[in-house]
Amino acid sequence: MRVLGIESTAHTFGIGVVENKKILVDERIVYKPKEGIVPIEAAEFHREHSAKVLQKVENKINFKEVDLIGISTGPGLPPCLYFGLEFAKKLAAKLKKPLIGVNHCQAHIEIGKTLTKPKEPIILYVSGGNTQIIYENKGYKILGETQDIGIGNAIDKLGRAAGLSFPAGPKIEKIARKGKFVLLPYSVKGMDLNFSGVLSESIRRLKNEKEEDIFYSFQEVCFAMLTEVSERALAATEKNELLLVGGVAQNKRLQKMLKIMCEERGAKLKVVPKEFAGDNGAMIALTALVTYKDKKIRNETEVRPNWRIDNIYK
Ligand code: ATP
Ligand code: FE2
């Protein structure tokens, strides 16, 4: 079965095509604002570039061979979600193919599972808007999560305060390599996390301290918090595999800290490949395929800006 997936929930407009679980095509374009993301501008960016992305896909595959179309209907920024759905509905009508709406968070997990083949893992999903520790058992259960902002957004805000453009994650990672540790607040409450306190303190201290020290320490503290809750989740569930997904999964320091923790307890760490860690259309196509096969999963063709992953089953 050949599925075309469309991603348009935030900064990325992407179209991917999969044949069963094999990724055939992945085309995308990313809106990179100087300041923070302005949702209407992001949607306008997608509107402007969508035809070009679609054309690139059409140059690679024959649309007549597509059996199903998937669109991510949430969670995400409403203007981007509305544009994506409108685009997907038009394409589905033109190609006369069924359309399935899928959850964006599930898609990050689905592509991680497809490409690394873990066995019943605990999932650490770290991206711009989300930070969750997830356990899959007849649906997704959230064992712990951020109580304020996602780790990726926290990283991007710290970067913006230091004059770095979006996405700041890779730039901060590089600069942090030269830094030394300074004390910053650490906030874990049971299985939940808070990033806004450590973020405000880091931004405040950027004025008088070395940027590399703040970046290094911010990463050390936030990633230690993520490692701590991941370890607790592994221990509580007696699982021995951890799957790391989402845009922030690309960070080598985070990977290393999780790897040390996993090795110390005889567990395996699986990391989504770098090129598919951030938003892309292929992950939406894979999830549409799973949703099509599992009739119990919601197939929403209305946008759901706050759609949680623990609410994807009917
Ligand atoms: P969500 O999945 O929650 O809707 P999103 O779709 O905006 O969020 P992704 O595309 O999965 O997020 O990830 C983007 C985030 O990943 C950005 O915040 C970016 O700074 C971060 N990121 C990318 N590379 C790195 C890196 N090397 N280190 C840390 N963060 C990174
Ligand atoms: Fe994402």
Side-chain angles (χ1 to χ4, degrees), residues 11-242:
H11 41 73
T12 301
F13 184 84
I15 303 179
V17 181
V18 301
E19 170 88 47
N20 296 319
K21 293 222 159 178
K22 191 167 175 279
I23 299 169
L24 302 180
V25 180
D26 166 43
E27 292 292 344
R28 51 183 124 150
I29 185 150
V30 183
Y31 158 75
K32 292 182 178 172
K34 279 215 171 62
E35 297 283 319
I37 294 181
V38 180
I40 291 177
E41 277 181 15
E44 208 35 59
F45 175 90
H46 296 343
R47 189 180 298 282
E48 233 172 77
H49 295 91
S50 52
K52 197 168 62 192
V53 176
L54 186 68
Q55 187 58 53
K56 282 190 180 170
V57 176
E58 201 174 4
N59 293 345
K60 293 183 178 165
I61 59 138
N62 183 350
F63 279 167
K64 286 202 182 104
E65 289 168 13
V66 169
D67 303 300
L68 176 71
I69 295 175
I71 170 72
S72 177
T73 47
L77 307 172
C80 302
L81 294 174
Y82 282 111
F83 170 72
L85 185 58
E86 172 198 312
F87 179 91
K89 281 184 172 168
K90 274 192 201 149
L91 186 65
K94 191 173 142 204
L95 303 184
K96 299 191 180 66
K97 301 294 172 189
L99 178 67
I100 275 190
V102 306
N103 181 285
H104 178 89
C105 311
Q106 186 194 2
H108 274 291
I109 296 174
E110 213 49 64
I111 199 159
K113 288 201 304 196
T114 303
L115 298 175
T116 70
K117 301 192 169 49
K119 296 182 207 92
E120 298 183 28
I122 288 295
I123 301 150
L124 177 59
Y125 166 38
V126 279
S127 59
N130 286 283
T131 302
Q132 292 173 327
I133 298 96
I134 298 166
Y135 170 74
E136 198 177 343
N137 180 17
K138 297 191 193 96
Y140 296 92
K141 313 271 182 281
I142 297 172
L143 299 176
E145 63 187 320
T146 178
Q147 293 181 327
D148 44 43
I149 54 175
I151 178 65
N153 283 354
I155 291 171
D156 293 331
K157 282 187 176 165
L158 179 63
R160 204 185 320 149
L164 302 176
S165 61
F166 175 87
K171 297 156 200 151
I172 288 191
E173 178 178 11
K174 199 164 160 223
I175 297 168
R177 285 190 212 124
K178 297 179 287 187
K180 64 172 186 1
F181 192 71
V182 295
L183 269 184
L184 290 173
Y186 181 99
S187 178
V188 172
K189 293 174 184 158
M191 288 296 290
D192 293 325
L193 310 144
N194 286 75
F195 296 111
S196 56
V198 58
L199 174 63
S200 317
E201 176 70 356
S202 301
I203 290 177
R204 192 178 65 77
R205 286 171 59 173
L206 269 178
K207 288 193 196 85
N208 300 316
E209 292 176 52
K210 281 192 188 151
E211 184 180 85
E212 61 258 37
D213 293 349
I214 298 296
F215 289 175
Y216 172 70
S217 309
F218 182 82
Q219 284 200 158
E220 291 302 293
V221 168
C222 295
F223 297 166
M225 288 160 53
L226 293 166
T227 307
E228 177 183 324
V229 289
S230 302
E231 177 163 34
R232 205 171 291 135
L234 287 169
T237 56
E238 298 182 346
K239 299 274 181 198
N240 54 19
E241 248 178 18
L242 181 66

